[in-house]
Amino acid sequence: MVYQVIQKLIDRGVEVQLIEPEDKIYARNQILALLGLTEFKPVEVGNTDMADIPDLLNQLVEYAISQHIIKDIFDEKEILASQIMNCLVTRPSAVNQTFYEKYRNSPAAATDYFYELSKNSNYIQMKRVQKNIEYKVCTEYGELDITINLSKPEKDPRSIELERAAVSTEYPKCLLCIENEGYAGRIGHPARANHRMIRVNLLEENWLLQFSPYVYYPEHCIVLSEKHIGMSISPTTFQRLLFFVAQFPHYFLGSNADLPIVGGSILSHEHYQGGHYTFAMAKAEADYRFNLVKFPAVDCSVVKWPMSVIRLRSQQFSPLVDVADHLLKEWRNYSDEALGIIANTGETCHNTITPIARKNGLFFELDLVLRNNRTSLVHPLGIFHPHADVHHIKKENIGLIEVMGLAVLPARLKEEMKEVENYILGESASVADYHAVWAEELKTRYQRDVTKANVEAVVREEVGKKYLKCLEDAAVFKRDEQGRKGFHRFIQSVM
């Protein structure tokens, strides 16, 4: 009975502190209106009969479909679910007030509050995130995180067709704009009625803190500009990142690079990503240290990592900005043709940096990952990009999250890896053509050692090795003798 589901949802909203008991009738009436109901029939709900919020939402959405209130189309279902949850979430001003009241006690208490609210409001799609396959792979660089992304549901053909036919609009301009807060959504643009953002001051500019709807790691947050301006790596970027971690020392914050191929998926809106998680790269030790005479207050090192990373450390973040600015300017114009590094082709710039800031005890740390986005006939997707031999595992950009040691791999691998496992075991298998060479190589190598009990672990580890190869491909200075000498040449050039 629909009334029982509504009551359960409201009771859950009170239990997880989305609303107060005094809000129950108001919230109920708002939900009734969305479902085309003009009355509510009191029902008994036992304490043991408390389903999760996402499950209750799905039941109400199915009811709406059965009553022809909405069509059985992905976007319409998402819009209604978001609107129902919006009845249980307070206004942005109240969320921000509570956040900063808790911040006065501790920054962690404030982010804990907002993270729980974002999960309980179903803005963070935890029910879907839990479908992801996650594991770790041990390497010489530490434990790399592997995620096979199963959280984003595939749209049905009708939804795709409607999206193609939908009238285009520039409101909101992109998925990150502030105008998404509370936006109902439409065909082709996600529902955001239950979306809330925290206002954050960065260098006297208005920025917004939110969480990713599909978190890839604990408290995976996004910090975005109030203005719809393009991505840019500059001294101001370094200042913002460090200023943020000074305010929230339990979080790291990093920026995707600002060029295609080596940048993230959204270059049209200035934003950063962070969270309460320590990646393998943050744990990586120094390969060797060096000193910059002009900047004695900063400890500099090259990090032992498959990509080319310089780490800066200081108890004050102002000197870090000065050094990072110096290195960025030098790298923008640096070429080493023997290693395929060319700074510019005509007016086109190829060199940039992926920066990551964190607080480590008393020290601020700023990691600068050197990037170059040149392409060639041999590597049309990028010279310093995953090469063709790993495209069957990952073909997409190596963005900020991947740089730090977390692979986000396509959903297709879930079933494809099972077929490879069957093939290695000598069982009937339908191996995708692009996995054929890899599968045969694994079968030959593990013929005597693999069993049904360990074949999944074997294939998962081999996928992790492919991801490591992706990172090695993306390094501008490889970790071989030639690459090490090249990195030394660059370090010498900036001293």
Side-chain angles (χ1 to χ4, degrees):
M1 180 182 288
V2 66
Y3 303 114
Q4 192 172 45
V5 178
I6 292 171
Q7 189 60 53
K8 290 179 185 178
L9 180 62
I10 291 170
D11 289 345
R12 287 290 289 138
V14 172
E15 183 182 337
V16 299
Q17 298 180 326
L18 285 175
I19 58 173
E20 298 297 328
E22 294 85 352
D23 301 320
K24 292 171 73 170
I25 293 175
Y26 171 85
R28 176 208 296 165
N29 287 335
Q30 297 297 305
I31 295 171
L32 289 175
L34 290 172
L35 297 177
L37 297 168
T38 57
E39 63 175 353
F40 182 80
K41 296 179 180 179
V43 291
E44 291 292 331
V45 178
N47 292 333
T48 60
D49 193 17
M50 297 290 283
D52 289 337
I53 285 175
D55 294 333
L56 295 169
L57 274 179
N58 287 338
Q59 292 178 48
L60 293 180
V61 168
E62 290 302 317
Y63 169 82
I65 293 169
S66 71
Q67 299 300 306
H68 307 290
I69 297 168
I70 63 169
K71 296 176 183 177
D72 189 5
I73 295 171
F74 176 82
D75 286 322
E76 290 198 19
K77 292 189 289 186
E78 293 288 284
I79 288 169
L80 179 60
S82 179
Q83 288 175 328
I84 291 172
M85 286 312 303
N86 187 47
C87 300
L88 301 175
V89 184
T90 189
R91 292 175 180 268
S93 58
V95 172
N96 276 262
Q97 181 179 349
T98 302
F99 180 90
Y100 281 106
E101 285 173 355
K102 292 183 179 294
Y103 183 89
R104 284 194 286 270
N105 292 325
S106 83
T111 53
D112 286 348
Y113 153 75
F114 186 48
Y115 191 53
E116 290 304 309
L117 181 143
S118 299
K119 289 188 294 183
N120 291 330
S121 68
N122 205 47
Y123 174 72
I124 298 177
Q125 302 271 352
M126 289 304 297
K127 198 81 173 182
R128 294 175 183 171
V129 170
Q130 289 165 1
K131 296 178 182 179
N132 290 343
I133 296 172
E134 299 177 348
Y135 63 96
K136 295 179 182 291
V137 173
C138 292
T139 73
E140 63 179 299
Y141 304 101
E143 287 188 326
L144 301 182
D145 291 296
I146 309 295
T147 294
I148 297 177
N149 184 15
L150 305 174
S151 59
K152 293 185 180 180
E154 294 185 10
K155 294 189 177 184
D156 57 76
R158 286 186 302 165
S159 295
I160 295 171
E161 189 61 33
L162 285 170
E163 191 170 326
R164 289 173 179 165
V167 177
S168 62
T169 174
E170 292 188 358
Y171 184 89
K173 290 186 176 67
C174 77
L175 297 176
L176 293 177
C177 283
I178 188 174
E179 288 80 10
N180 284 281
E181 188 175 43
Y183 186 65
R186 61 177 187 270
I187 300 297
H189 191 100
R192 293 290 183 259
N194 57 336
H195 181 30
R196 302 293 184 266
M197 298 178 175
I198 299 300
R199 277 61 184 166
V200 178
N201 183 304
L202 294 183
L203 307 181
E204 302 305 318
E205 296 177 347
N206 294 325
W207 284 66
L208 295 309
L209 167 68
Q210 66 175 64
F211 292 104
S212 170
Y214 298 100
V215 291
Y216 291 129
Y217 52 87
E219 299 182 51
H220 176 185
C221 72
I222 300 170
V223 178
L224 56 101
S225 173
E226 185 180 55
K227 301 174 183 176
H228 182 72
I229 54 176
M231 293 289 291
S232 173
I233 302 298
S234 69
T236 306
T237 307
F238 308 138
Q239 287 179 296
R240 290 195 195 108
L241 297 179
L242 290 162
F243 192 69
F244 179 87
V245 298
Q247 294 181 72
F248 300 94
H250 59 301
Y251 273 21
F252 76 89
L253 193 69
S255 174
N256 271 302
D258 54 353
L259 296 179
I261 297 177
V262 295
S265 57
I266 299 179
L267 295 179
S268 61
H269 195 118
E270 186 98 75
H271 70 285
Y272 312 129
Q273 294 185 77
H276 196 184
Y277 189 67
T278 304
F279 288 93
M281 192 180 83
K283 301 175 187 177
E285 298 179 353
D287 209 358
Y288 60 87
R289 289 182 166 78
F290 62 93
N291 296 315
L292 297 177
V293 177
K294 294 180 181 178
F295 307 99
V298 178
D299 176 58
C300 307
S301 63
V302 169
V303 180
K304 184 182 178 183
W305 190 247
M307 294 185 70
S308 307
V309 185
I310 294 173
R311 177 167 295 160
L312 311 177
R313 298 181 82 239
S314 176
Q315 292 193 30
Q316 302 297 322
F317 65 71
S318 293
L320 296 183
V321 174
D322 294 336
V323 177
D325 179 30
H326 171 65
L327 293 173
L328 176 63
K329 288 176 180 175
E330 294 294 323
W331 177 244
R332 290 276 196 203
N333 297 295
Y334 187 81
S335 294
D336 190 330
E337 295 191 19
L339 299 179
I341 301 169
I342 297 176
N344 302 283
T345 303
E347 298 297 317
T348 303
C349 176
H350 296 301
N351 286 354
T352 187
I353 281 174
T354 300
I356 302 104
R358 70 184 71 87
K359 190 84 184 293
N360 190 348
L362 297 176
F363 287 85
F364 290 94
E365 292 183 348
L366 189 60
D367 286 353
L368 307 177
V369 188
L370 306 181
R371 314 298 301 273
N372 178 286
N373 78 341
R374 285 185 63 235
T375 61
S376 68
L377 292 175
V378 177
H379 301 295
L381 297 183
I383 297 171
F384 304 102
H385 177 86
H387 292 172
D389 62 322
V390 297
H391 285 176
H392 65 108
I393 299 296
K394 184 171 178 64
K395 194 175 183 178
E396 299 79 14
N397 292 4
I398 299 298
L400 173 68
I401 294 173
E402 285 87 4
V403 162
M404 295 184 292
L406 190 157
V408 181
L409 303 179
R412 61 178 172 80
L413 287 177
K414 177 184 177 182
E415 298 303 324
E416 292 174 0
M417 287 166 63
K418 289 180 181 178
E419 296 299 330
V420 171
E421 291 169 17
N422 291 337
Y423 184 80
I424 295 171
L425 291 169
E427 298 177 355
S428 176
S430 179
V431 176
D433 290 343
Y434 43 78
H435 289 314
V437 173
W438 180 57
E440 183 61 37
E441 187 262 321
L442 294 183
K443 184 175 183 179
T444 301
R445 187 168 7 131
Y446 290 105
Q447 192 169 19
R448 296 181 180 180
D449 302 321
V450 75
T451 66
K452 284 190 175 182
N454 70 4
V455 66
E456 179 182 78
V458 166
V459 172
R460 286 187 173 190
E461 183 174 354
E462 291 297 327
V463 168
K465 290 178 181 177
K466 286 285 185 175
Y467 166 52
L468 175 56
K469 174 63 164 49
C470 290
L471 297 182
E472 292 170 341
D473 289 344
V476 292
F477 298 110
K478 310 304 182 191
R479 290 186 59 79
D480 54 19
E481 184 178 358
Q482 188 179 16
R484 289 175 185 273
K485 289 181 178 178
F487 212 158
H488 277 284
R489 286 195 295 273
F490 173 67
I491 297 300
Q492 290 296 318
S493 75
V494 302
M495 287 185 170

